[in-house]
Amino acid sequence: MSPRFVSPTADHWTTRFGLTALSLAFIGLFLVLPLIVVFGEALNDGLKPVWAAIEEPDALAAIRLTIVAAAISVPLNAAFGVAGAWLVTKFDFPGKGLLVTFIDLPFSVSPVVSGLIYVLVFGLQGWLGPYLSAHDIHIIFALPGIVLATIFVTFPFVARELIPLMNEQGRDEEEAAVSLGASGLSIFWRVTLPNIKWGLLYGVLLCNARAMGEFGAVSVVSGHIRGLTDTMPLHIEVLYNDYQYQAAFAVAMLLALLALVTLALKTFLEWRYADEIAATHHH
Amino acid sequence: MSIIAAALPVRRWRNPSALPGFGLTLGFTLFYLSAIVLVPLAALIIRPWEIGWSGFWDILSDVRVQHALRLSFGASLIAAAINTVFGAMVAWVLVRYRFPGRGLLDALVDLPFALPTAVAGIALSALYAPNGWLGRPLAEFGIRIGYTPYGVLIALIFIGLPFVVRTLQPVLAEFGRDAEEAAATLGATRLQTMRRVVLPALVPSILTGTALSFARAVGEYGSVIFIAGNLPGISEIAPLLIIIKLNENDYAGASAIGVIMLAASFAMLLALNLLQSWSASRQ
């Protein structure tokens, strides 16, 4: 028998097989099985009851509210992400590190605390409560509160993707454009935006998934008024606590599909545009 | 006066840049950050002072509050420890081994980021409730997970896993095999190489992943409340207690717990920054 070369840094095949099997089992049990349960419970009696649960007026209202809240908060956070990333990556000024830490802050705050802070500002016993109720302005238990809470929890997504990306791309191209007499706006549209478009889309994708799925923060500020201030995740909670399991899982299935589409698009962007997305950049 | 001012070398508070938009982006960023994040957070931090130190301590020394905080922090710590072990293993398998389905496994790791917490919550509940998919067979062995603190733990493992994998994966991919090869040529066994060469180099990123996973778990609400059963003193988490107190119009109680959770967030953020500079100094 001729001696076969065995790489000194390769694990023994038993180790390799064991660790791979254990990883697959762990991911399967903890991540995949819950996903299968959602589809299994929703489709237990076929598609008909799924449609019935989705076409029900309160469910339609919840879907509409979820889309409206995301349609307001995602563009605002995208605009903020672009402006913040431009500020942080194109200029040097004292306090930059602190600013970046503050931008990241909402990620480490509990969703429930994220909702609580707006109740403390706008709620009846909040800072502005007496003024708002005197002028009949509704923020808490209404759309503005839901939008604010959604903006808070999705605040860093776009900025956090764009800052490392634009840092790496540097300022040379923009500075060349300035020296050639381009205006600020045309530099952004014709030089910067083409460079960051896939990173921006990546950030917006993650921001939107979280915005449509947020539960804790929105739960605090919504007031759970059926058909009025219930978003899709809140509607799921109402149905579930009402023992309407099949309907709850039908609405949950819609959100699970959104999650799967998000994951597929995210994986595609990471694969196709790896060089133009900060998340897949490792140097 | 103006002649003197013009003659003096101007000390700028920021380095000059050829690019436009500093004032605009600084103004928008600071306004948006203050309005959405800083001012509402200040409203929370200031709130407990209305009731003074003694009132603050009265709320926190309540048995129910203490138990909820202990459960939230304790279960998060255990979940983070479990996720550290399994997350490191999954990251190792994903980076080092090639096998069919690796790409799918890689994409699935992000599922807890993409799947709304309420959806995960009812799915886990359907799995582990005493009459659930796994709950029923487990009950025959006398094991109860749903509606006990173990249910809380399962949910926190679910949402925390991607943090360890995603923190470790790029570092592991970049970590060359040179050191491992050197160790092997010097006669080290594979196990010695892993313990004395590979593991020490990865410790900062592993700990960063652990801290991120812990920070997320402490504040988690949506995926926990359905499976926990929420029995006061047994399986009631701190974020839920905030919501209960808000529903009772007990703003002081809600904000006292909120301030503790926020302080924990700040502490974790500080720890993460220290970890980051530690790992940077080692490279």
Side-chain angles (χ1 to χ4, degrees):
Chain A
M1 240 176 84
S2 63
R4 224 159 53 91
F5 174 73
V6 177
S7 163
T9 59
D11 294 326
H12 193 260
W13 74 268
T14 48
T15 315
R16 227 165 44 221
F17 184 79
L19 290 183
T20 308
L22 209 54
S23 295
L24 288 171
F26 189 81
I27 300 282
L29 178 67
F30 279 93
L31 305 194
V32 180
L33 194 56
L35 187 67
I36 294 173
V37 167
V38 174
F39 287 93
E41 294 278 334
L43 299 169
N44 218 352
D45 302 315
L47 270 173
K48 225 181 205 149
V50 174
W51 280 122
I54 292 169
E55 279 178 342
E56 190 253 339
D58 285 349
L60 285 179
I63 294 171
R64 210 172 303 129
L65 180 60
T66 296
I67 293 173
V68 168
I72 300 172
S73 45
V74 175
L76 280 174
N77 277 343
F80 164 75
V82 171
W86 182 275
L87 175 70
V88 166
T89 59
K90 303 297 179 198
F91 305 102
D92 298 309
F93 53 93
K96 198 150 97 170
L98 191 66
L99 182 67
V100 174
T101 306
F102 277 143
I103 291 176
D104 266 347
L105 190 59
F107 269 166
S108 35
V109 176
S110 166
V112 170
V113 174
S114 312
L116 171 68
I117 57 178
Y118 294 108
V119 174
L120 295 181
V121 175
F122 300 110
L124 260 183
Q125 299 177 44
W127 278 0
L128 303 175
Y131 173 86
L132 292 172
S133 70
H135 291 79
D136 203 28
I137 303 169
H138 301 280
I139 292 184
I140 299 303
F141 304 159
L143 179 66
I146 291 170
V147 169
L148 280 172
T150 307
I151 290 179
F152 185 94
V153 292
T154 57
F155 191 86
F157 275 102
V158 177
R160 163 177 280 207
E161 164 62 26
L162 288 183
I163 289 172
L165 184 68
M166 287 166 72
N167 241 339
E168 209 171 296
Q169 289 174 345
R171 306 170 188 176
D172 299 355
E173 289 186 34
E174 281 86 359
E175 279 166 358
V178 165
S179 72
L180 294 171
S183 73
L185 213 57
S186 78
I187 294 174
F188 176 74
W189 281 112
R190 309 195 31 195
V191 179
T192 309
L193 195 59
N195 281 337
I196 63 168
K197 61 175 182 287
W198 296 115
L200 181 61
L201 186 65
Y202 188 85
V204 165
L205 185 72
L206 299 185
C207 184
N208 179 66
R210 178 71 193 265
M212 290 192 161
E214 178 53 26
F215 179 67
V218 172
S219 173
V220 176
V221 296
S222 128
H224 295 88
I225 309 166
R226 261 185 111 149
L228 272 181
T229 64
D230 270 348
T231 60
M232 283 169 81
L234 297 178
H235 188 59
I236 293 174
E237 183 193 23
V238 169
L239 291 171
Y240 195 84
N241 290 341
D242 234 13
Y243 301 104
Q244 301 184 45
Y245 293 133
Q246 199 278 327
F249 278 103
V251 181
M253 190 178 81
L254 282 189
L255 284 177
L257 284 172
L258 172 76
L260 287 179
V261 170
T262 303
L263 274 190
L265 284 174
K266 175 176 174 294
T267 309
F268 172 76
L269 285 176
E270 284 168 0
W271 165 74
R272 180 69 181 74
Y273 302 103
D275 292 342
E276 296 166 66
I277 291 171
T280 45
H281 255 201
H282 309 297
H283 293 288
Chain B
M1 187 64 191
S2 64
I3 299 170
I4 299 168
L8 284 170
V10 185
R11 260 199 74 178
R12 286 165 171 273
W13 69 280
R14 67 178 173 101
N15 291 333
S17 169
L19 298 174
F22 180 74
L24 182 72
T25 53
L26 181 72
F28 178 55
T29 304
L30 288 185
F31 168 75
Y32 195 73
L33 181 70
S34 308
I36 299 289
V37 180
L38 299 182
V39 173
L41 280 178
L44 170 62
I45 295 168
I46 291 169
R47 194 80 188 200
W49 300 120
E50 289 174 8
I51 51 172
W53 269 115
S54 60
F56 187 67
W57 282 122
D58 280 348
I59 292 167
L60 292 182
S61 49
D62 175 53
V63 182
R64 188 175 174 188
V65 173
Q66 287 212 336
H67 188 277
L69 285 170
R70 212 176 308 137
L71 177 64
S72 273
F73 283 93
S76 299
L77 205 60
I78 299 171
I82 293 173
N83 277 334
T84 303
V85 174
F86 284 93
M89 182 184 73
V90 171
W92 180 264
V93 167
L94 283 175
V95 172
R96 285 298 178 91
Y97 304 158
R98 290 293 170 270
F99 53 95
R102 193 188 66 97
L104 187 64
L105 183 70
D106 196 4
L108 281 174
V109 168
D110 279 332
L111 192 65
F113 284 159
L115 196 68
T117 53
V119 178
I122 63 168
L124 291 172
S125 177
L127 266 177
Y128 294 100
N131 59 349
W133 293 27
L134 294 177
R136 199 195 300 269
L138 285 172
E140 287 182 15
F141 295 99
I143 302 170
R144 279 196 58 185
I145 292 180
Y147 314 142
T148 73
Y150 296 110
V152 177
L153 188 62
I154 296 273
L156 297 183
I157 292 173
F158 173 85
I159 51 116
L161 180 73
F163 290 95
V164 181
V165 181
R166 292 300 183 230
T167 312
L168 197 53
Q169 224 176 344
V171 182
L172 206 52
E174 237 178 274
F175 183 70
R177 298 193 179 199
D178 312 4
E180 283 172 69
E181 279 164 6
T185 59
L186 293 171
T189 65
R190 189 76 187 127
L191 205 63
Q192 280 175 320
T193 310
M194 288 299 291
R195 230 187 55 218
R196 315 266 299 258
V197 177
V198 179
L199 208 55
L202 298 178
V203 163
S205 358
I206 293 177
L207 286 180
T208 303
T210 314
L212 285 170
S213 163
F214 174 77
R216 171 69 202 263
V218 167
E220 179 58 19
Y221 173 71
S223 59
V224 175
I225 54 158
F226 296 99
I227 188 180
N230 310 322
L231 303 166
I234 296 172
S235 58
E236 187 177 63
I237 53 168
L240 176 68
L241 202 49
I242 292 179
I243 290 193
I244 291 174
K245 290 203 179 281
L246 266 183
N247 289 342
E248 292 167 350
N249 275 323
D250 179 5
Y251 277 39
S255 19
I257 306 172
V259 162
I260 293 296
M261 313 248 6
L262 191 65
S265 305
F266 281 132
M268 290 311 295
L269 213 58
L270 187 68
L272 279 164
N273 277 335
L274 290 176
L275 267 173
Q276 217 110 61
S277 51
W278 178 39
S279 66
S281 72
R282 282 175 40 140
Q283 270 164 11

